[in-house]
Amino acid sequence: MTAQRTPRPGVAIVGARDGSLWTYLLFHNLRTFGDAEIWPVSRTRPEVRGVPTVADLGLVPRTPDVAVLIVNSAVANSVVAQAVEMKIPHIVLISDGYAERGTDEGIRLQRELVGIVEGSGSRLYGPNGVGFADFRAGIAPLGAPIPADLRVGGVSVVSQSGSLTCTIMGGLVEDGAGVDLCVSIGNGAAFDPVDAMETMLDRPTTTVIAAYLESFGGDRARLERTLTRARAQGVTIVLAKSGGSAIGAAIARSHTAALAGPDRLVDEVLTAHGVIRVRSMEELTRAAAIADYLSRRPAAGGEAGAGGGGVAVIETSGGAAALTADLLTHEGVGLATFGDAATSALRAVAPDGAYVSNPIDLTASPKPYEEVTAAFHAVYTDPAVRAVVIPYALTFPTADDERDVHRRSLDRYADLGAASGCPTIVSTLSDFAWTDWAVAFRERHPETLLVRGIATTARMLARLYPPAEAPQAPAAGAADVLADVLGDAPDGRTARDLLDALDVPMPKAAFVAAQDVDGVAGAVAGLAYPQVVKIVADGLLHKVKVGGVVLGCATAEQTEAAARRVLASAAAAGLPGVHGVLVEETGTGVELFVSLNRDPWYGPYLIVGSGGGDVESKTDSSLIALPTVDGAVGRALDRLPVPDGQRAATAALIERLAAEFVGGRLAAWSMLELNPVMVDAAAGPQILDIVLLPAAGPA
């Protein structure tokens, strides 16, 4: 019986023509990285790039595996509909002119496109993307340059930028990693980044997902399910993300913007699921290459960040070893403390003055090569060593120069890694040029990772192997002082009345209308001193910025003078809608900052930190997703100098406000910022100042 031959993958290119860059790239990639049968579709050209054309997609000899469309958006949807009717599994729509334009027509066309493919079984890549490449299956309908020396491997790539798709693949080649699947998302109309990651997780050959994203879509819960699945499968996700969700112009003018900008909200989700967030393409590809390499080395210690042990640094140059040790410890990578066996072995071969701890400097050891190798083997097999880093200070040798000692040294490290199973990373101190010997070394020693640039390597090792207790990340920098201080915030009386209805503790206060300023003394007679005077005006977000607050008034005369001063300042600033002043008793105790917010992507969240002025520069704030998890507010307060006897009461107050914000009487507001919440050891917590914003945000 004759075995049936599996047909070659078939790809139809609609709109193909000679002289088109898209056509050239598609033909080149399909022929270079696989053996696809190509059918150009054109009504005006008899052949394209030497291949006979057909006049219509429906005339191809058999149903293609992929249809690539490089036609105008005005006709593209009808061709997509034809491809769906033909049950073509993969449709690549390179055409633009859709929602990315921001026009009503572009948005309409994209909605129509989604309706065409929804529930059809056909997968649409794009529009406004460059396609995909399944290197393991040998089919690459990707309209972008692919590095000629790219090899098949364990890293899958997803990118919302076509050009950065090329950047990532090039960086992975540079760092010695192979690619499994590469997907360009484009607009992601019907196949978005989360869909792409799910597809990659369905592939047992993907060990790492390297992603450049600009958004995740609107379903945070769906994203978290995918990230949870990746972690459970042992697939590392390395992510570079730009942009972010828009909290809104009003919150951007509040303290909250600096403490919880879009990046912080994204980081909260990513960090919780073990995603490695990076800031550059170099970091993205280096982290992906290291993670892919470690996935193939069983001695790597399991999941990145698992506890126990550290890194050993070995080099024959004391300067290189010391510099690398400094870099690693600065970035937070722990150095291994050697056991007695490794320490004794090193001491036995070390010359006088050599450093036999970590980093290891056996400069000019007088002992035979084999004895030094045996000492290094003791390091590689030490239980405390999770990986060995070799900082290489020299340029790479060539195949025919007389640097035998350097070639032999690098081969020794690779052989030790192979024999022991210990991950071995050789990283140059600078970006030295590759040589024929270095390229061959990488091919001969897949058990060793050879990369260039120790600083990037150190940063990414820190992300893959953070210390047991990561250092506190600094809060966002101080917010810019904005000239515009107005929004849709209600005046101070309205905000107080709202919280008063919730039985929230606040200091006693009296309102004095602007026209009644002469009667301040009588109005405040029932209040204790010292007093604070605040301007009351419609939509005012920042009273201090217009001179609208005076503290420490110790007598009725001082309070009246302060009232006149803040009213004059408001008039000088041209502040509209001024109603008068609010005079309050001054609270005492520890100042807290409490802010309840809603983000359209992240959902409701809470920030708790030190209060008062310049809250943006303080580093002790905690961001908590709402509804709160039991104990989350208490743990945030544990980081703050709240009086011990008032921690429970303060936590209860914040939790009660959070519950009202999520689904109670504060649900109509997008932000409730309380600064300060004053916590007195005897009197407990009191709210001294309030900023509210309605759910729709400022106009």
Side-chain angles (χ1 to χ4, degrees):
M1 182 176 179
T2 304
Q4 189 173 9
R5 183 177 181 273
T6 302
R8 297 158 60 195
V11 179
I13 304 176
V14 183
R17 62 182 176 85
D18 289 324
S20 159
L21 179 60
W22 294 120
T23 302
Y24 160 73
L25 289 168
L26 288 163
F27 267 76
H28 174 79
N29 292 338
L30 288 165
R31 288 171 169 171
T32 303
F33 297 96
D35 186 32
E37 190 172 357
I38 304 173
W39 301 300
V41 179
S42 173
R43 294 180 178 177
T44 60
R45 297 167 177 82
E47 66 175 40
V48 173
R49 303 193 70 81
V51 179
T53 64
V54 295
D56 186 83
L57 180 60
L59 298 176
V60 296
R62 58 183 170 86
T63 302
D65 298 281
V66 184
V68 183
L69 281 57
I70 44 178
V71 297
N72 189 282
S73 60
V75 300
N77 285 14
S78 63
V79 183
V80 171
Q82 183 183 17
V84 168
E85 186 176 352
M86 293 173 64
K87 294 183 169 44
I88 297 175
H90 301 275
I91 304 169
V92 173
L93 183 53
I94 291 177
S95 313
D96 61 3
Y98 289 86
E100 82 283 349
R101 296 281 180 89
T103 64
D104 291 343
E105 177 64 7
I107 293 169
R108 183 193 70 78
L109 283 172
Q110 185 156 312
R111 286 176 179 164
E112 179 182 271
L113 190 63
V114 173
I116 292 169
V117 299
E118 193 169 29
S120 68
S122 296
R123 176 179 295 166
L124 175 72
Y125 302 83
N128 191 37
V130 296
F132 73 95
D134 187 337
F135 293 105
R136 202 167 296 274
I139 183 167
L142 189 75
I146 300 174
D149 48 353
L150 181 141
R151 63 176 180 84
V152 178
V155 181
S156 283
V157 176
V158 54
S159 174
Q160 284 183 283
S161 164
S163 61
L164 290 185
T165 303
C166 307
T167 302
I168 296 168
M169 288 190 291
L172 291 171
V173 169
E174 158 68 24
D175 285 345
V179 182
D180 190 16
L181 174 66
C182 178
V183 176
S184 166
I185 293 296
N187 291 8
F191 186 69
D192 65 15
V194 179
D195 292 321
M197 288 191 282
E198 283 287 342
T199 297
M200 293 163 182
L201 291 173
D202 288 338
R203 300 166 68 95
T205 48
T206 290
T207 61
V208 178
I209 296 173
Y212 167 76
L213 303 181
E214 293 159 2
S215 68
F216 293 113
D219 191 340
R220 171 186 162 199
R222 175 169 162 258
L223 169 67
E224 292 200 82
R225 287 193 297 272
T226 300
L227 300 182
T228 299
R229 179 188 173 192
R231 197 170 197 178
Q233 292 181 200
V235 175
T236 301
I237 297 178
V238 185
L239 172 70
K241 186 184 180 300
S242 65
S245 57
I247 293 180
I251 294 182
R253 291 197 291 267
S254 75
H255 293 301
T256 301
L259 292 179
D263 268 1
R264 180 166 181 184
L265 301 182
V266 170
D267 274 338
E268 288 291 319
V269 172
L270 300 181
T271 301
H273 292 278
V275 176
I276 299 171
R277 176 93 183 267
V278 298
R279 304 294 175 181
S280 70
M281 291 297 99
E282 292 92 344
E283 291 184 350
L284 179 72
T285 57
R286 183 63 52 84
I290 295 175
D292 178 52
Y293 166 71
L294 293 176
S295 74
R296 295 179 273 111
R297 307 298 292 165
E303 181 186 6
V311 170
V313 180
I314 304 175
E315 183 35 79
T316 55
S317 162
L323 174 63
T324 302
D326 286 347
L327 278 171
L328 291 172
T329 53
H330 173 74
E331 297 294 345
V333 180
L335 296 180
T337 300
F338 302 142
D340 292 341
T343 302
S344 297
L346 291 171
R347 187 170 289 118
V349 299
D352 292 340
Y355 191 66
V356 295
S357 187
N358 196 5
I360 301 166
D361 172 19
L362 294 183
T363 304
S365 173
K367 299 297 183 179
Y369 179 89
E370 292 74 15
E371 291 185 27
V372 175
T373 301
F376 285 157
H377 184 265
V379 172
Y380 273 73
T381 56
D382 189 303
V385 175
R386 301 178 66 196
V388 172
V389 174
I390 312 295
Y392 193 65
L394 308 174
T395 57
F396 290 125
T398 63
D400 56 0
D401 61 22
E402 298 183 17
R403 294 170 56 187
D404 290 340
V405 65
H406 298 148
R407 287 189 287 271
R408 192 182 185 195
S409 174
L410 287 172
D411 279 331
R412 170 167 61 186
Y413 298 133
D415 291 341
L416 284 166
S420 65
C422 183
T424 304
I425 301 171
V426 179
S427 184
T428 63
L429 266 64
S430 187
D431 290 342
F432 301 131
W434 290 103
T435 64
D436 52 354
W437 184 89
V439 172
F441 173 90
R442 176 182 270 178
E443 294 172 353
R444 285 187 291 109
H445 294 291
E447 72 283 344
T448 297
L449 183 65
L450 177 62
V451 292
R452 301 189 300 170
I454 193 65
T456 304
T457 299
R459 288 197 302 275
M460 295 307 97
L461 281 172
R463 304 305 302 276
L464 287 157
Y465 293 123
E469 186 173 342
Q472 172 66 29
D480 293 337
V481 178
L482 302 178
D484 181 7
V485 296
L486 293 175
D488 273 353
D491 68 52
R493 293 174 300 169
T494 303
R496 274 188 65 98
D497 290 344
L498 180 64
L499 293 193
D500 190 58
L502 297 175
D503 198 25
V504 171
M506 291 177 288
K508 290 176 62 177
F511 171 73
V512 180
Q515 64 271 22
D516 297 330
V517 69
D518 289 338
V520 165
V524 303
L527 303 182
Y529 293 100
Q531 297 169 353
V532 56
V533 178
K534 306 174 184 177
I535 194 72
V536 177
D538 294 332
L540 183 60
L541 295 170
H542 293 300
K543 305 176 188 69
V544 173
K545 292 181 179 179
V546 294
V549 178
V550 176
L551 303 172
C553 301
T555 64
E557 291 76 18
Q558 290 180 8
T559 299
E560 181 175 334
R564 295 184 186 279
R565 191 191 319 164
V566 298
L567 289 168
S569 295
L575 196 66
V578 174
H579 299 288
V581 296
L582 192 68
V583 182
E584 294 178 341
E585 295 180 352
T586 300
T588 59
V590 174
E591 294 182 324
L592 302 182
F593 174 88
V594 176
S595 183
L596 293 152
N597 311 270
R598 300 181 206 282
D599 179 81
W601 176 80
Y602 187 85
Y605 63 95
L606 162 71
I607 297 175
V608 180
S610 291
D614 196 24
V615 296
E616 298 90 344
S617 68
K618 296 170 183 175
T619 61
D620 55 10
S621 66
S622 299
L623 190 149
I624 302 167
L626 297 178
T628 60
V629 177
D630 285 347
V633 174
R635 288 190 294 274
L637 293 178
D638 286 343
R639 303 177 59 194
L640 305 170
V642 179
D644 290 337
Q646 296 297 339
R647 287 180 183 273
T650 305
L653 172 62
I654 295 172
E655 288 167 352
R656 184 158 62 88
L657 289 172
E660 294 282 358
F661 188 76
V662 170
R665 286 169 284 181
L666 296 175
W669 302 91
S670 68
M671 186 188 79
L672 171 62
E673 185 175 284
L674 310 173
N675 184 32
V677 175
M678 193 73 78
V679 184
D680 183 80
Q686 279 193 322
I687 294 170
L688 270 59
D689 200 51
I690 310 159
V691 175
L692 273 169
L693 289 176

